[in-house]
Amino acid sequence: MKRMAAAVVAALAIPVTAGVASADTLTLAGKDKPCDAARCIAKVKSQEEKVTRTSTPSPSVTPTSGSPVLAHTPPSGGSTAKKYDRESAMAEWRESDPGAFDPITGMPSGPPPCDVFVIPYVYESCEGNEPEPAEPATTVTIEQVISMAMAQITLPKPAMGSAPCTDAECKGTVGVPVWFWLEGNQWKTYQDSASAGGLSVTVTAKPSQVVWDLGDGQTVTCTNAGTAYDAGKGWASSPDCGVPGGYTRAGDYTISASITYDVTISGDATGTDTVTRTSTADVTVGEYQSVVSSHGTN
């Protein structure tokens, strides 16, 4: 009987408890009641078939101190489950974000990057987290840079000075020389620069002439600021900017002054241009009045 029991155990690989009651009895694993050899054989076969049909061992991973607990990945959407591998997941994390790993311990600080699944961290998909595309760099043209430089320069209209004067109480006289000039320090060079988009230009503007219009059809072009008139000059003519014969008829006139600036562009662009500014004023001209006395005409 002992040899028969041993043969049964060897053939079926039945786990036997340490304490067998007698040579004629066996104790099944997990059971408390002994049985004779023949009956044990039948029960063991039945138990093996049941275990084979219904039981599958559950894998597990023992967590390492200081590291995340790793187990199986959640079921995938396909028919075949994706096998979770701890080493592969950690290698992917290290490749995506090497700075997250302590150089001494080699352990990461979570959470892992998107699209990297490491238990027990919450998985985050990169879909929808892509950074918005950067706005295309604005291209600056040389014309824009020139305009920027020009906008920084104020080219003034002529500050008109004239004899006859243009004040309300002033009145000119037919045949008296007319004088023109620019008030203040207006006859000068203006300059400024601008840079953008790696381009730089300098704009220079110099006055070149002033065209004076008497309003009666007469004009005079002056290439300087002119000379200011004062009462001490009497009926003398202007030395550089005026009309010696003056107005030929009495009346109300609108005089104008148009100054022209010659513009030069230098730097990442070169070129020339002209800019004109105009001012106007009203003037009244009357006839010369003679005074008759007993001593003659004055």
Side-chain angles (χ1 to χ4, degrees):
M1 184 63 71
K2 290 182 180 180
R3 287 193 298 271
M4 182 177 179
V8 171
V9 172
L12 299 180
I14 303 171
V16 181
T17 58
V20 178
S22 68
D24 296 330
T25 61
L26 297 175
T27 302
L28 293 179
K31 300 295 182 177
D32 295 328
K33 297 179 179 180
C35 60
D36 58 45
R39 292 176 62 189
C40 278
I41 292 173
K43 287 184 179 181
V44 168
K45 285 184 177 180
S46 174
Q47 183 176 354
E48 270 196 333
E49 290 174 358
K50 182 177 180 180
V51 169
T52 302
R53 289 194 306 268
T54 62
S55 300
T56 302
S58 297
S60 62
V61 177
T62 301
T64 303
S65 176
S67 66
V69 178
L70 305 178
H72 292 290
T73 182
S76 65
S79 58
T80 303
K82 179 181 178 181
K83 183 179 180 181
Y84 179 85
D85 181 74
R86 176 181 185 278
E87 292 185 1
S88 298
M90 296 298 285
E92 185 178 3
W93 186 351
R94 185 183 296 277
E95 181 179 355
S96 300
D97 187 11
F101 287 76
D102 187 289
I104 298 177
T105 65
M107 300 310 300
S109 58
C114 62
D115 276 354
V116 176
F117 176 61
V118 178
I119 294 174
Y121 302 104
V122 176
Y123 174 77
E124 181 180 358
S125 172
C126 288
E127 184 176 353
N129 293 332
E130 296 85 357
E132 295 184 2
E135 294 184 2
T138 302
T139 301
V140 178
T141 65
I142 192 65
E143 292 81 6
Q144 290 174 314
V145 180
I146 295 173
S147 297
M148 291 166 59
M150 282 297 302
Q152 299 180 97
I153 297 178
T154 300
L155 299 179
K157 293 181 179 181
M160 299 170 61
S162 68
C165 64
T166 58
D167 296 336
E169 64 274 11
C170 292
K171 189 174 182 179
T173 303
V174 172
V176 174
V178 174
W179 292 49
F180 292 120
W181 65 93
L182 296 176
E183 300 280 8
N185 183 29
Q186 193 169 352
W187 193 270
K188 65 179 182 179
T189 300
Y190 300 83
Q191 188 179 81
D192 216 322
S193 302
S195 300
L199 302 173
S200 297
V201 297
T202 297
V203 175
T204 304
K206 297 180 178 180
S208 59
Q209 67 177 24
V210 183
V211 177
W212 296 88
D213 189 330
L214 277 69
D216 66 348
Q218 298 183 85
T219 62
V220 60
T221 299
C222 303
T223 56
N224 52 46
T227 301
Y229 175 82
D230 62 64
K233 295 181 173 62
W235 284 14
S237 296
S238 170
D240 49 17
C241 187
V243 180
Y247 286 92
T248 60
R249 293 194 310 271
D252 294 326
Y253 301 95
T254 298
I255 61 176
S256 66
S258 296
I259 186 170
T260 298
Y261 297 94
D262 291 339
V263 178
T264 302
I265 302 168
S266 59
D268 288 323
T270 58
T272 58
D273 203 345
T274 58
V275 176
T276 301
R277 298 281 189 265
T278 301
S279 298
T280 61
D282 295 328
V283 66
T284 298
V285 177
E287 295 286 350
Y288 174 74
Q289 300 294 324
S290 61
V291 178
V292 179
S293 67
S294 58
H295 299 288
T297 302
N298 293 329

